[in-house]
Amino acid sequence: MENLRNKGISGQAMIEFVLGMVLTFSFFFFYVKMCAAFAIGNYIHYATFMAARAYSSSASTPDVQQERAEEVLKKMLKGRFRSVIREKPDGIRVGPGPYFEEGPQNRWNQGATYSFSVDLALYPWSTKGQSIKMDLTSESWMLRNASRKECEDQKNSLKGSLNAPGLEWDNGC
């Protein structure tokens, strides 16, 4: 047995240990990055909710409502989490959603959307084509309140049709 050790066969356990640790660490860091991606996704969903709230609040014009919502999203998300997520080119969208129907009483399906992607690689030395790419979108829709300009326009259009003196029509403005 002594002769086998002298002939260079004695490093097998160290090689198995190193290969086993590389595989173990690969799975561990894959799991950590996946958990980080889901935690960041939860924060992104909160940011879109806050932007939808800013969009739904009343302001002087609908454009000001949209600017406020975009500002909230940018303050909460721009420049953060770059090691885990990648914002898509059209990632921030504020305004009517895909099922929005124009009308004075229908202001649903309006809010904020943020699209991003996450690359999950099992091995640290994986190239971009070998990683798992998840394209994710966070959407938050609410009832948008009418802006002051929209309220004034509605009241002015109804003045001629309402004949009762002192009658005030409450449409949520």
Side-chain angles (χ1 to χ4, degrees):
M1 201 51 126
E2 190 65 35
N3 289 338
L4 292 177
R5 286 191 192 156
N6 293 337
K7 293 186 179 185
I9 303 178
S10 62
Q12 178 183 354
M14 181 59 79
I15 292 172
E16 289 175 357
F17 175 76
V18 168
L19 290 176
M21 288 307 291
V22 167
L23 187 63
T24 302
F25 279 131
S26 296
F27 282 116
F28 176 74
F29 287 118
F30 174 81
Y31 181 74
V32 166
K33 189 167 184 181
M34 184 177 66
C35 290
F38 289 142
I40 291 168
N42 191 22
Y43 177 78
I44 289 171
H45 187 67
Y46 175 69
T48 56
F49 168 72
M50 292 304 290
R53 283 188 63 197
Y55 185 61
S56 72
S57 65
S58 185
S60 57
T61 65
D63 292 335
V64 172
Q65 288 174 312
Q66 184 168 356
E67 288 171 13
R68 287 180 181 172
E70 288 172 357
E71 184 179 323
V72 167
L73 267 180
K74 288 176 183 175
K75 279 185 179 180
M76 292 182 79
L77 298 175
K78 282 292 189 180
R80 293 188 177 190
F81 315 118
R82 293 293 161 232
S83 61
V84 179
I85 68 166
R86 302 279 179 259
E87 181 182 319
K88 291 188 176 182
D90 61 340
I92 294 178
R93 292 183 308 277
V94 175
Y99 306 110
F100 176 73
E101 293 178 16
E102 189 66 45
Q105 300 302 319
N106 185 13
R107 290 191 178 89
W108 287 102
N109 197 14
Q110 296 187 64
T113 303
Y114 185 80
S115 299
F116 61 100
S117 65
V118 177
D119 288 329
L120 296 174
L122 185 57
Y123 301 108
W125 57 84
S126 296
T127 60
K128 274 199 176 228
Q130 294 176 328
S131 63
I132 301 166
K133 184 175 182 183
M134 295 190 307
D135 293 327
L136 303 170
T137 300
S138 176
E139 299 176 325
S140 191
W141 308 114
M142 291 188 171
L143 172 68
R144 184 180 69 82
N145 290 326
S147 67
R148 287 190 290 275
K149 183 180 181 332
E150 290 172 321
C151 283
E152 289 171 10
D153 291 346
Q154 266 185 341
K155 287 178 183 176
N156 290 336
S157 68
L158 291 173
K159 276 188 181 176
S161 63
L162 298 175
N163 294 329
L167 181 65
E168 201 169 306
W169 183 61
D170 181 19
N171 68 341
C173 295

